[in-house]
Amino acid sequence: MSIKRAVVDGLRKTLPPGSRSRSFAAAGFHSMRGAIDLVRTTRHNFAQVQSSEPGLESYSAWRRQQPAPSDQIPLGASLVSFTVIIEVAPGTSLAQVQKTRASVGSQAGLRVEIMEKESGSDIGSLVSGVKEDFVLFLRAGSTLEAHALADLAKKHRVDPGLALVAFDSDLRSATGSLSRPQFRPTWSPEMLLGANYLDRAFAVSSKALRETPHLSLNDLGVWRLLLDLDLIATQAGNVNRVLLHEPADWRTPATAEEAEMVREALERRGENAETSVKDGVVRVLFQPAEWPSVSIVIPTRHSRANLGVVLPSLARTDYPSFDVTVIDNGGESDANNEWYSANENGLDLSVIWWTEQPFNYSRVNNYAVRSTSGEVVLMLNDDTEIVDPLWLQEMVGQLMRPNIGTVGVQHRRGDGRIQHGGVTVGPGGSADNLFAGMEPGSDSLLGPTSWYRDSLAVTGACVAIRRTDFEASGGLAENFILCGSDVVLGLDQIIAGRRNVVVPFDTVRHLESVTRGSNNPVEDYYASYWRYSPWLSGGDPYSSPNVSRLTAVPRFSNRRDPSPVKIALTGMGRAYTKVAQNSNISAEAVALLAAATVSSAQVRAVKEQHASIEGRREVKTINWFIPDIDMPFFGGLNTAFRLADKLRRDHGVHNRFIVLGEVHELFIHTALTAAFPGLAEADIHFYDGSDASLAELPAADAAVATLWLTASHVAKVQGTPRKFYLMQDYEPAFYPASTMFAMAEESYRLGLYGICNTDSMHRIYTEEYKGKATYFTPAVDQGIYNAVDRRTKGDDEPVTIFAYARDHFRNCWEMVYAALSEIKRIHGDGVRIVAAGARYLPESADFIDMGLLDYRATGAVYRETDIGLTMQISRHPSYLPLELMSSGVPMVAPDSEWFQWIFDDGENSLTVMRTLDDVVEKLDTLVRDAQLRSRLRANALDTIARNHSSWDEAFEGIYDYFCDPEAATPR
């Protein structure tokens, strides 16, 4: 029998299908394949999972899949009021007015004031006396869905800080048929410059209208109103449902009058721009006070056919100061140098000859960029052609505006069709070019392709970025060989709070072969999974949940389509499971009995072996026994990887990661390097927990268990003189009193040397279980979690409470949910509750569901948070409180002796009994007392600064402990 078959058969016996332990301990035993056929197999998997065209073709089919709206008014919705202003244009019939009025009047259970006003009426005068919470501007003849205002009220209830709530719309014919829906992305300021993509499908808070200038009630005035609001992303929200039916298409070509209006609106903000109408859209050419210098970088394999097109076209560029650097890996020769001399075309041209192998697109560009000095970096493919001399002015003008990360353009292919209209994450379980293959100027579910776009990223074929932002991102990620690092560059800007802009006009063509994608390295797909994962899971905000996440050309979403995460994991040969709290502890225990077993003789052998070793022994190799990797960026595994990386850097330790799972080296390797690139040289081995698989593992100076399940394996393995246990939580508390509890607890009696995360864990191991151990006090990455950009909030803003919302026993989620619901009932619009990390939130929850965030994006969320809540029941509170406190957030946390190393009641936090009443009382106290929050915040920041600000300091002494655990004294 093959090793593969033996492993799979053994696991099928011990790990039943559906059990948490099957994915947790054996972790995806669906992917054993040889490295030789990895590429073929991966592509075959993708073909299998996407055997039919994703998405839906027709609007009617999509509508049939939508759930029926509830007849119940959401809790608290009746407290939200609306003013609906119906614009009556010349020639409007009484029937049209009555139709709109009837649809508004049918919004049962809500307070609604209706005004009928002629086109051209002064908006400022109309809204000056409005007392209702929100205002809508509807054309006579349009109609609202019966639940429309209830949906808007629910959105306000969930996030009372919103100044504007947008929604989707469609067209309703005279016969009642529905067509041409418009699905709206998240707030897109650049899209709004070229066209009013919201039209009338929005509700705006009356507070935000207080500063409304004298504008006319018409299309021009409403567009100007939206521009003058000048909102930031956190002030605008979406209800992704079709709530408005229009009688006629509002998407008409822009006019010269509208172009002038956009210019005036920008001038009011202090921005200088020239505006005109092009391709039916307002074209905006920003004019910065000074044009920055630009360095254009072009990698090539000495393709004279391509360079002979792009270089002369670059020479026609109308821009004050730019230089061009070509980095050529086609081989330096006299003839090639002479060709460049003859084809400079008057450009300030430099040539770098690149010889490093193997070829890495990111590294090539990074090297070339570092050789230049322009304030703006523009990376350009050699297979492009400049067709508009103003291309660089347009791109740089956009880029120099506040909060812009990268700027790209809509590329046309050689046949005139669109090659790139921005990057969307999701298709193929990866990313793709939006609108690829569509005709320029055609319509789509996300609006015409001719509109400006805000996007998750733009293609590296033509991307401009400030040098400072490029360097802050570390340049292009070099763990990508050919494809994907441009997407990551864009995602880095999103995480940093900046936007990526796509200019829609025909300025730079990309003549790339339409079949080029088939040659992409499979390693890049794996690397992209780790970086795209939050958006694969949570969706592309610049698309819509109503649009298929699996297609570059927008199609209607289909409930039967697999998720992008499932496509990604299936393509990589991984099991796709939905993790949720498992109350079937008995079945889990049965599954793990054989995998977690160890005899008393083996335990005695560990203790005898340790006793026989005297003095210091330098540690140069460490075998880290880890479970399969779910996500490497946070949690206990991240700490293990961080420690391994420090030992490598500071002491030259060679790390091996011994994975309890089936062989899939590329998956594990790319996970490690995504989190810690320095671990790229680490060895990776796999085992199944059996004695036979343990016997095949290489010897090392030390072995480290990182999870209770791996502790027995470390105890049994041979060839490692000293054996350690990285203890990061009291893992028996992850389970009710049970066999699972007993097995986890027994791992503390195996005689392993403990490396304990916190003094509390050290006391537990040394005092309760009589083990030998050292400990470290955890730290915070203050590059992410800091209060540097924390803003001072207005007195009228709601208090924001953040809670980790994961349905696991140890998080006391049931109590947390009940307490937060009661706080929302008490304070209503006075609080906004943010939940992240959730596997689910009930539809009835008045919480903002952030889903699974990129770990680097959480710092910005925390800086908008006023109160943090954690109710972990185990003896370690996780890193969440430290990260929140480091961001200036006072905590409400359990009154536990094990948490006293971080929480000081009444000084840097409020500690509570683990009862619903006390949690509610303490939360209520902090909501009401801004001065108390301020004092606790200052003390929390001081606590982090004094004790938790450096991981390098936290790990000092750990290496010496590895070398001589008997002599080392705990710090």
Side-chain angles (χ1 to χ4, degrees):
M1 181 182 293
S2 68
I3 295 176
K4 172 184 175 181
R5 177 54 52 200
V7 169
V8 172
D9 287 351
L11 284 168
R12 283 174 176 164
K13 293 176 182 177
T14 58
L15 305 176
S19 68
R20 186 168 74 96
S21 54
R22 190 179 184 103
S23 59
F24 173 65
F29 274 66
H30 300 275
S31 60
M32 179 175 284
R33 296 173 179 88
I36 295 176
D37 63 355
L38 178 61
V39 174
R40 176 181 57 81
T41 303
T42 300
R43 290 177 182 150
H44 172 75
N45 288 343
F46 281 114
Q48 293 300 307
V49 79
Q50 299 184 81
S51 57
S52 60
E53 187 174 13
L56 295 170
E57 184 68 32
S58 76
Y59 186 33
S60 58
W62 176 82
R63 286 182 63 84
R64 285 194 296 271
Q65 285 194 354
Q66 303 313 298
S70 172
D71 293 331
Q72 301 294 318
I73 300 297
L75 178 66
S78 60
L79 302 176
V80 185
S81 55
F82 297 87
T83 289
V84 178
I85 299 175
I86 302 174
E87 178 192 347
V88 183
T92 301
S93 68
L94 178 61
Q96 287 176 304
V97 176
Q98 290 176 335
K99 189 174 186 179
T100 303
R101 177 178 277 274
S103 77
V104 176
S106 68
Q107 309 289 312
L110 297 165
R111 292 186 293 132
V112 185
E113 179 73 21
I114 303 175
M115 298 184 189
E116 297 171 17
K117 298 295 177 180
E118 294 181 355
S119 290
S121 299
D122 183 72
I123 292 177
S125 299
L126 295 179
V127 302
S128 61
V130 166
K131 297 182 175 60
E132 286 70 35
D133 300 305
F134 283 91
V135 177
L136 286 83
F137 301 93
L138 302 183
R139 300 183 186 91
S142 61
T143 57
L144 292 174
E145 281 284 322
H147 55 88
L149 297 187
D151 282 350
L152 297 177
K154 167 70 173 178
K155 187 70 176 181
H156 167 74
R157 175 79 175 177
V158 168
D159 191 351
L162 295 177
L164 180 141
V165 180
F167 45 90
D168 297 334
S169 62
D170 63 12
L171 301 184
R172 171 171 268 155
S173 70
T175 61
S177 64
L178 301 175
S179 64
R180 303 208 40 203
Q182 176 73 60
F183 297 135
R184 291 174 170 85
T186 193
W187 180 243
S188 300
E190 282 61 50
M191 186 182 287
L192 191 61
L193 295 176
N196 179 8
Y197 77 98
L198 293 183
D199 186 48
R200 306 298 178 87
F202 67 91
V204 60
S205 75
S206 55
K207 290 180 182 178
L209 293 175
R210 287 173 183 166
E211 303 296 323
T212 302
H214 292 285
L215 303 172
S216 296
L217 180 62
N218 54 30
D219 289 350
L220 188 72
V222 171
W223 186 358
R224 174 63 186 268
L225 182 151
L226 288 167
L227 289 169
D228 283 346
L229 289 174
D230 197 16
L231 301 177
I232 60 175
T234 55
Q235 294 175 299
N238 279 40
V239 172
N240 299 117
R241 296 182 186 174
V242 176
L243 303 184
L244 176 66
H245 308 292
E246 292 278 21
D249 194 350
W250 51 270
R251 290 166 290 196
T252 56
T255 65
E257 183 182 15
E258 288 171 329
E260 175 61 17
M261 178 274 296
V262 171
R263 188 198 66 77
E264 292 174 352
L266 289 169
E267 185 178 56
R268 184 171 184 261
R269 297 185 199 170
E271 295 188 84
N272 185 28
E274 296 176 0
T275 59
S276 60
V277 176
K278 183 176 177 63
D279 300 337
V281 177
V282 174
R283 186 182 190 181
V284 183
L285 295 175
F286 287 94
Q287 304 294 315
E290 293 184 9
W291 289 103
S293 59
V294 178
S295 290
I296 300 173
V297 169
I298 305 174
T300 184
R301 192 173 177 82
H302 201 70
S303 173
R304 294 185 182 181
N306 288 342
L307 293 168
V309 173
V310 68
L311 293 178
S313 69
L314 272 172
R316 295 190 290 272
T317 298
D318 182 1
Y319 191 83
S321 175
F322 71 97
D323 56 74
V324 179
T325 296
V326 175
I327 185 162
D328 194 329
N329 74 327
E332 184 177 13
S333 67
D334 291 342
N336 286 347
N337 279 318
E338 289 170 4
W339 186 91
Y340 279 116
S341 297
N343 289 274
E344 287 182 348
N345 293 284
L347 295 168
D348 181 1
L349 179 67
S350 301
V351 179
I352 298 172
W353 293 99
W354 184 258
T355 59
E356 184 177 286
Q357 293 295 331
F359 179 82
N360 181 294
Y361 172 83
S362 301
R363 180 163 170 75
V364 166
N365 276 278
N366 288 342
Y367 184 89
V369 167
R370 293 187 191 108
S371 74
T372 66
S373 59
E375 298 162 82
V376 169
V377 172
L378 192 143
M379 289 172 283
L380 187 69
N381 274 19
D382 69 346
D383 56 351
T384 54
E385 179 184 10
I386 310 303
V387 294
D388 186 336
L390 294 178
W391 73 286
L392 195 52
Q393 285 192 38
E394 186 158 27
M395 293 182 70
V396 174
Q398 286 278 2
L399 182 68
M400 300 314 291
R401 301 174 65 224
N403 301 316
I404 301 300
T406 67
V407 176
V409 301
Q410 184 184 104
H411 293 300
R412 314 288 166 86
R413 304 185 317 210
D415 62 5
R417 290 180 177 267
I418 296 172
Q419 187 268 341
H420 161 268
V423 171
T424 183
V425 171
S430 185
D432 205 346
N433 290 336
L434 186 65
F435 303 143
M438 294 181 68
E439 290 284 354
S442 56
D443 200 5
S444 83
L445 298 177
L446 296 171
T449 62
S450 55
W451 286 355
Y452 285 101
R453 294 274 157 188
D454 293 281
S455 180
L456 284 177
V458 300
T459 177
C462 178
V463 55
I465 183 171
R466 297 174 193 245
R467 181 177 295 275
T468 52
D469 292 339
F470 185 81
E471 292 173 349
S473 298
L476 295 178
E478 295 183 12
N479 57 323
F480 290 83
I481 299 170
L482 185 61
C483 302
S485 58
D486 52 352
V487 181
V488 170
L489 185 67
L491 296 178
D492 284 346
Q493 308 314 303
I494 297 292
I495 291 168
R498 296 185 281 269
R499 301 185 299 277
N500 304 302
V501 182
V502 183
V503 174
F505 309 113
D506 185 16
T507 59
V508 181
R509 292 178 185 164
H510 190 194
L511 309 177
E512 173 192 51
S513 167
V514 296
T515 61
R516 178 179 175 274
S518 63
N519 298 318
N520 296 343
V522 69
E523 293 88 346
D524 285 349
Y525 187 88
Y526 283 74
S528 69
Y529 170 75
W530 301 109
R531 294 302 305 272
Y532 304 174
S533 185
W535 294 274
L536 292 173
S537 174
D540 182 340
Y542 293 109
S543 180
S544 165
N546 298 323
V547 173
S548 173
R549 300 177 59 197
L550 306 182
T551 59
V553 174
R555 290 169 58 88
F556 294 100
S557 61
N558 186 344
R559 286 185 157 193
R560 297 181 179 87
D561 280 342
S563 72
V565 173
K566 182 175 183 179
I567 291 175
L569 290 174
T570 303
M572 294 184 289
R574 302 286 295 182
Y576 173 73
T577 57
K578 292 185 177 181
V579 180
Q581 179 170 289
N582 180 9
S583 59
N584 193 351
I585 298 298
S586 178
E588 192 168 357
V590 170
L592 291 178
L593 279 171
T597 188
V598 62
S599 68
S600 59
Q602 289 168 322
V603 173
R604 285 196 302 274
V606 171
K607 296 177 180 179
E608 291 170 358
Q609 178 174 312
H610 283 174
S612 69
I613 303 172
E614 296 182 359
R616 182 182 178 91
R617 291 194 178 186
E618 294 298 316
V619 171
K620 292 302 178 185
T621 56
I622 298 179
N623 286 351
W624 299 84
F625 283 67
I626 65 171
D628 201 14
I629 299 175
D630 177 30
M631 195 55 62
F633 302 111
F634 40 76
L637 271 183
N638 179 266
T639 303
F641 301 153
R642 186 185 297 275
L643 176 55
D645 192 51
K646 178 176 174 58
L647 296 173
R648 174 196 64 83
R649 286 185 285 111
D650 292 357
H651 304 284
V653 169
H654 181 71
N655 296 291
R656 297 193 190 101
F657 293 97
I658 314 297
V659 185
L660 183 59
E662 192 171 355
V663 176
H664 203 321
E665 185 168 347
L666 185 55
F667 186 85
I668 300 299
H669 174 79
T670 54
L672 288 170
T673 54
F676 294 96
L679 295 177
E681 300 303 316
D683 293 336
I684 299 170
H685 297 264
F686 298 84
Y687 77 111
D688 64 6
S690 67
D691 291 345
S693 66
L694 289 171
E696 295 177 353
L697 297 176
D701 297 324
V704 184
T706 60
L707 175 81
W708 74 264
L709 188 60
T710 62
S712 60
H713 305 149
V714 169
K716 292 189 290 185
V717 73
Q718 301 299 306
T720 53
R722 283 171 169 158
K723 303 180 178 186
F724 299 82
Y725 191 172
L726 181 59
M727 300 176 180
Q728 304 200 65
D729 206 335
Y730 185 64
E731 293 184 278
F734 291 8
Y735 315 98
S738 60
T739 301
M740 291 293 293
F741 183 101
M743 288 193 295
E745 187 185 35
E746 203 62 35
S747 69
Y748 297 153
R749 299 188 173 99
L750 302 179
L752 307 180
Y753 290 118
I755 303 172
C756 299
N757 191 334
T758 74
D759 176 54
S760 294
M761 282 303 303
H762 180 261
R763 285 192 289 120
I764 291 168
Y765 190 56
T766 58
E767 295 175 12
E768 292 189 28
Y769 297 99
K770 310 306 178 185
K772 294 180 179 179
T774 189
Y775 71 92
F776 61 91
T777 300
V780 179
D781 183 348
Q782 294 200 300
I784 298 172
Y785 307 106
N786 60 71
V788 174
D789 296 323
R790 190 177 181 89
R791 67 185 181 91
T792 301
K793 294 187 177 181
D795 293 338
D796 59 343
E797 291 188 69
V799 174
T800 298
I801 304 172
F802 181 92
Y804 181 54
R806 188 173 180 185
D807 58 326
H808 190 282
F809 300 119
R810 68 182 184 273
N811 295 316
C812 289
W813 169 239
E814 300 85 354
M815 185 184 298
V816 168
Y817 179 78
L820 292 174
S821 298
E822 178 63 10
I823 287 295
K824 186 66 176 177
R825 186 194 66 79
I826 294 170
H827 291 280
D829 291 351
V831 297
R832 64 193 289 268
I833 296 169
V834 177
R839 301 293 182 181
Y840 77 95
L841 272 178
E843 185 70 22
S844 60
D846 284 334
F847 304 169
I848 300 169
D849 184 2
M850 301 295 290
L852 297 172
L853 296 172
D854 186 291
Y855 73 103
R856 296 168 302 161
T858 54
V861 174
Y862 295 166
R863 283 186 285 277
E864 285 290 312
T865 298
D866 302 297
I867 303 168
L869 174 63
T870 183
M871 286 300 293
Q872 282 207 321
I873 202 67
S874 64
R875 298 181 182 182
H876 189 289
S878 84
Y879 295 148
L880 177 70
L882 280 79
E883 295 163 354
L884 283 161
M885 292 167 70
S886 186
S887 306
V889 181
M891 295 298 303
V892 173
D895 181 10
S896 167
E897 65 172 303
W898 306 110
F899 299 168
Q900 291 175 357
W901 58 272
I902 180 65
F903 302 127
D904 187 353
D905 184 37
E907 294 299 321
N908 65 9
S909 57
L910 293 184
T911 59
V912 298
M913 297 189 299
R914 283 167 265 199
T915 66
L916 178 61
D917 284 352
D918 204 41
V919 176
V920 171
E921 179 183 337
K922 297 298 171 57
L923 285 172
D924 182 62
T925 297
L926 276 182
V927 169
R928 297 178 188 276
D929 194 336
Q931 289 187 342
L932 176 60
R933 294 199 305 272
S934 179
R935 181 170 62 81
L936 296 180
R937 175 182 303 119
N939 291 340
L941 288 169
D942 181 64
T943 297
I944 298 299
R946 284 187 290 106
N947 303 320
H948 309 282
S949 60
S950 169
W951 272 110
D952 274 352
E953 290 181 12
F955 287 147
E956 282 300 323
I958 298 296
Y959 178 73
D960 288 335
Y961 183 74
F962 271 115
C963 295
D964 194 353
E966 295 289 343
T969 302
R971 302 187 313 110

